[in-house]
Amino acid sequence: MSDNPVDITHGATSGAPELLARAAAAETRAHDGLAVAIHDFFLPDEARLDERTRASLSLLLRALVETVEAEIRENGARLLSERGEARLSAAMLRTEASVCDRLFDSGLLRDPALMTELIARVRQDAIAAALPLNAPDNPERPSLVNRFVQHPDRALASGAMAVLIAESRRRGDPDAEHLTQTDLPAELHCRLVWWVAAALRERVGEVADGALPVLDRALSDAAQRSLAAYDEGDRLEGAAMRFAAAIDAQPDELPRMLVEALGDRRIVLFIALLAHALGVSYALAREIVLESGAERLWLALRALDLGREAIAHVGFALCEADPRRDVERFADRLDAILAIASDDARDAIAPLRLDPDYRAALLALARTGGRHERDRSLDPRVVRAARPRGTADRRRGASG
């Protein structure tokens, strides 16, 4: 018999419920993980993000969250210090762990609008970096944007300079810890700011000890300051759209400018020129350009009356920059693309120029497919109309 005085019975008994709970949670995680794996396996290749895009998307998302977080922490800590809450101010500045993981786990970052924007931005940047850099016919000639910086027209010159500044801001300082700004559309920036503020409240609130109202006010004020300082017009896409509007390329100028923008690896400017010429938003033009099938892009270029040389240049450049595109397939389709009459192409893309909210409503309705026919069978008005005459009277008579 052992003389060991340590009694393990109590420890084993108290730890059993926790072990059972963890085992149950593990079973749930295994089930959920299998469901995700099955869903991923059956995704078509064109819908699956490649590893490079996934990695870039993860880095961008974390950088955006940490950029917003740093600004709110700094503003919040300063406000708390000014209000005599030195302890909370110090807690606000503690950055041992970012709130990014908390937001990832919460599911908030699965927001469709946010992910649509970020996936498009990542793909746009990847294509820009991979575009073939064409040597100009005249080596002494500056790039398209740089030429306009010296233009005598003040609107054109300032527009070109705004694009250069926005490009520099988007790239950021390689030595800086965070981005200069999120460069998101205002609505998405606002959403991210409040998510980060809420996550910080959760973390710093653990040491608030009854001072939660003070913390809430400081975080709310810090978030409001961040929102007030943000100008959506500074975004690269906005600057490019204003520049494209200032240029207002005429039909005989547009093909050359589109080709030159791609040759300069300025995919944002290419999309902005296309959007302005089509009379659509930047977001829609970007969607058209980034589609690997490119059917709508070819229609758009034919609607703008681009000829073989320009379309071929655009097609081969995008195929070289985007591994999802098949250059041989494009070459085989080039004659068919050019056979589309410009008037027919304009008619085909006319719906793209409709009000965005109207288009969204039409698409939402179209996605329901034939469900409305099945749903109507459950509508009481339809049931009554389909009921044989006299049925209701017989039922009322039977009940009477």
Side-chain angles (χ1 to χ4, degrees), residues 3-47:
D3 294 330
N4 189 344
V6 177
D7 183 5
I8 65 170
T9 306
H10 175 71
T13 304
S14 62
E18 180 184 351
L19 183 59
L20 288 170
R22 290 171 61 187
E27 183 177 5
T28 300
R29 286 196 302 273
H31 179 271
D32 293 345
L34 177 60
V36 171
I38 293 171
H39 176 73
D40 180 71
F41 178 78
F42 284 101
L43 278 176
D45 289 340
E46 60 269 19

Side-chain angles (χ1 to χ4, degrees), residues 168-189:
S168 176
R169 187 187 298 115
R170 174 68 63 86
R171 287 193 297 269
D173 183 351
D175 298 325
E177 188 175 352
H178 303 292
L179 301 174
T180 306
Q181 64 178 36
T182 64
D183 241 19
L184 290 172
E187 182 181 354
L188 296 181
H189 177 77

Side-chain angles (χ1 to χ4, degrees), residues 230-253:
Y230 188 74
D231 185 355
E232 184 181 22
D234 290 340
R235 297 179 65 223
L236 173 56
E237 292 79 1
M241 284 297 289
R242 291 193 299 275
F243 182 45
I247 294 174
D248 193 22
Q250 299 305 299
D252 60 326
E253 301 171 318

Side-chain angles (χ1 to χ4, degrees), residues 135-209:
D137 296 333
N138 180 2
E140 302 294 326
R141 192 185 193 203
S143 68
L144 178 63
V145 175
N146 288 331
R147 288 203 307 276
F148 277 101
V149 169
Q150 303 297 329
H151 201 281
D153 185 316
R154 184 174 298 178
L156 286 170
S158 61
M161 182 57 71
V163 168
L164 293 177
I165 293 171
E167 284 178 341
S168 176
R169 187 187 298 115
R170 174 68 63 86
R171 287 193 297 269
D173 183 351
D175 298 325
E177 188 175 352
H178 303 292
L179 301 174
T180 306
Q181 64 178 36
T182 64
D183 241 19
L184 290 172
E187 182 181 354
L188 296 181
H189 177 77
C190 178
R191 215 172 290 178
L192 189 59
V193 164
W194 288 117
W195 288 341
V196 169
L200 282 171
R201 194 256 197 193
E202 188 177 87
R203 178 158 297 173
V204 180
E206 295 174 355
V207 298
D209 294 334

Side-chain angles (χ1 to χ4, degrees), residues 45-50 53 119-120 122-124 126-127 286-294 318-327 329:
D45 289 340
E46 60 269 19
R48 182 178 286 110
L49 295 179
D50 61 87
T53 302
I119 291 171
V122 164
R123 284 181 166 157
Q124 173 181 274
I127 289 175
R286 179 178 61 186
E287 180 183 310
I288 292 170
V289 171
L290 295 183
E291 285 173 348
S292 58
L318 291 177
C319 285
E320 187 167 340
D322 188 348
R324 299 175 302 154
R325 304 174 197 252
D326 187 336
V327 66
R329 183 164 178 256

Side-chain angles (χ1 to χ4, degrees), residues 235-295:
R235 297 179 65 223
L236 173 56
E237 292 79 1
M241 284 297 289
R242 291 193 299 275
F243 182 45
I247 294 174
D248 193 22
Q250 299 305 299
D252 60 326
E253 301 171 318
L254 183 62
R256 174 182 56 80
M257 288 189 173
L258 288 172
V259 168
E260 193 170 356
L262 286 182
D264 292 341
R265 288 182 171 174
R266 285 194 161 100
I267 188 71
V268 174
L269 180 56
F270 173 84
I271 294 172
L273 288 167
L274 181 67
H276 178 74
L278 292 174
V280 301
S281 69
Y282 181 92
L284 178 54
R286 179 178 61 186
E287 180 183 310
I288 292 170
V289 171
L290 295 183
E291 285 173 348
S292 58
E295 288 83 2

Side-chain angles (χ1 to χ4, degrees), residues 73-83 89 93 225:
R73 280 187 186 273
E74 182 181 341
N75 287 336
R78 185 172 62 252
L79 290 170
L80 287 167
S81 179
E82 292 171 356
R83 295 167 188 178
S89 176
L93 290 174
R225 289 190 181 192

